[in-house]
Amino acid sequence: MTINEQPSAAPEPTSEPVPEQAAPEQARPVALITGVGRSIGIGAGIARQLAASGWDIAFTYWTPYDRRMEWGAEDGAAAAIAKQLADAGARTAAIEADLTGPDAPTRIFDEAEQRLGPVTALVLSHAESVDSGLLDTTVEAFDRHFAVNTRASWLLIREYGLRFRGEPGAGGGTGAGRIVALTSDHTVGNLPYGASKGALDRITLAAAHELAHLGVTANVINPGPVDTGWMNDELRTALTRGTPLGRLGTPRDTAHLVDFLCSPQGQWVNGQLLKSNGGAAS
């Protein structure tokens, strides 16, 4: 400014409000869900519900398992499910994994963390399930059921516990951890499946105590009779008659309970085996 220049007058005060700065968007917590191989499955229903509730979703699937089952594989299922989750606002990571391998849980967590970040909720909805009884179950089938339903679940829970870095006492979605496992009370004519799921129950309930110092809750859900394509007409009719509500369960029924357990409102429910089965008789 030269000596002959006069400073400009101070601006007149304005009565217009100053726009507020937008608050930074809060990061979505990450849920890792196993067994999301088919669009009509319970795992997919849980994934859709949690995505709608504000979670990012990593999920596992194993197409060869569905391919050898009587319902068959669903072509393009992983991509279709991932798109549904993305449409609900979730970042997604679809991870194909054979859970018979003891190294699979470490690889799954590595990939989920690399693509989405630390896992806050672990939902175990995978299963090996081939009908056979006491007299006709083979050693190979028995071992495979325990490798997938029991050992893999233990290793996934262990991996989760070793890596969890949430804040103890915080509500779901803001730091506290959640473990939810799906079980079954099948026994007669379904020996390896029922026995391996029974062992899964005990592992998950142990986690409610052994991981308590991390602020992690762990619960088991028995979803009751949910027809995801494995029932024949005779069984469907019999199970419907045995349920007081007069219908079979749906993936959404289970998903609503998982959603509650993973929410801040569900943090006081811990170390429980919950029957969400419409009152179906055992």
Side-chain angles (χ1 to χ4, degrees):
M1 182 171 65
T2 66
I3 194 168
N4 292 325
E5 288 178 337
Q6 299 296 319
S8 59
E12 293 292 329
T14 176
S15 59
E16 294 183 3
V18 178
E20 295 182 1
Q21 295 292 324
E25 185 177 353
Q26 185 175 3
R28 294 165 64 108
V30 176
L32 170 58
I33 308 170
T34 61
V36 186
R38 297 185 301 139
S39 298
I40 64 172
I42 295 177
I46 293 169
R48 286 189 289 265
Q49 181 63 50
L50 289 182
S53 293
W55 293 76
D56 288 335
I57 307 294
F59 66 89
T60 73
Y61 65 100
W62 183 236
T63 303
Y65 169 72
D66 291 313
R67 189 172 291 128
R68 65 182 168 82
M69 302 303 287
E70 60 185 32
W71 51 75
E74 178 186 346
D75 293 337
I81 293 168
K83 183 180 184 305
Q84 292 172 345
L85 305 181
D87 290 343
R91 296 181 303 140
T92 66
I95 304 168
E96 187 164 20
D98 180 4
L99 291 176
T100 60
D103 60 339
T106 299
R107 184 179 68 80
I108 290 166
F109 268 89
D110 284 345
E111 187 167 347
E113 289 183 345
Q114 289 167 6
R115 295 172 64 179
L116 300 180
V119 173
T120 297
L122 172 63
V123 182
L124 303 174
S125 62
H126 65 275
E128 171 77 18
S129 178
V130 179
D131 292 347
S132 61
L134 283 165
L135 302 182
D136 60 343
T137 294
T138 65
V139 171
E140 186 274 334
F142 188 90
D143 289 347
R144 187 173 64 248
H145 278 79
F146 272 83
V148 174
N149 298 343
T150 307
R151 186 181 67 192
S153 297
W154 158 53
L155 292 174
L156 284 161
I157 290 173
R158 185 177 74 170
E159 200 70 30
Y160 174 85
L162 291 171
R163 297 177 187 233
F164 184 75
R165 295 296 180 268
E167 299 177 8
T174 59
R178 299 287 190 267
I179 298 171
V180 182
L182 302 190
T183 191
S184 172
D185 55 9
H186 284 193
T187 51
V188 179
N190 216 345
L191 169 71
Y193 176 68
S196 58
K197 283 289 189 175
L200 163 66
D201 297 352
R202 296 298 178 252
I203 293 168
T204 307
L205 298 180
H209 297 271
E210 295 191 23
L211 302 183
H213 64 288
L214 300 175
V216 171
T217 65
N219 294 284
V220 184
I221 296 174
N222 183 342
V226 179
D227 185 8
T228 56
W230 58 274
M231 295 184 188
N232 58 35
D233 290 340
E234 181 180 359
L235 181 59
R236 190 179 296 111
T237 298
L239 291 174
T240 300
R241 288 175 179 169
T243 305
L245 294 179
R247 69 170 178 86
L248 298 174
T250 68
R252 180 171 292 184
D253 292 323
T254 306
H256 284 315
L257 181 52
V258 173
D259 189 29
F260 169 74
L261 292 174
C262 290
S263 74
Q265 292 75 24
Q267 63 183 306
W268 191 236
V269 183
N270 189 26
Q272 302 300 310
L273 199 168
L274 305 169
K275 289 189 176 183
S276 177
N277 62 5
S282 298

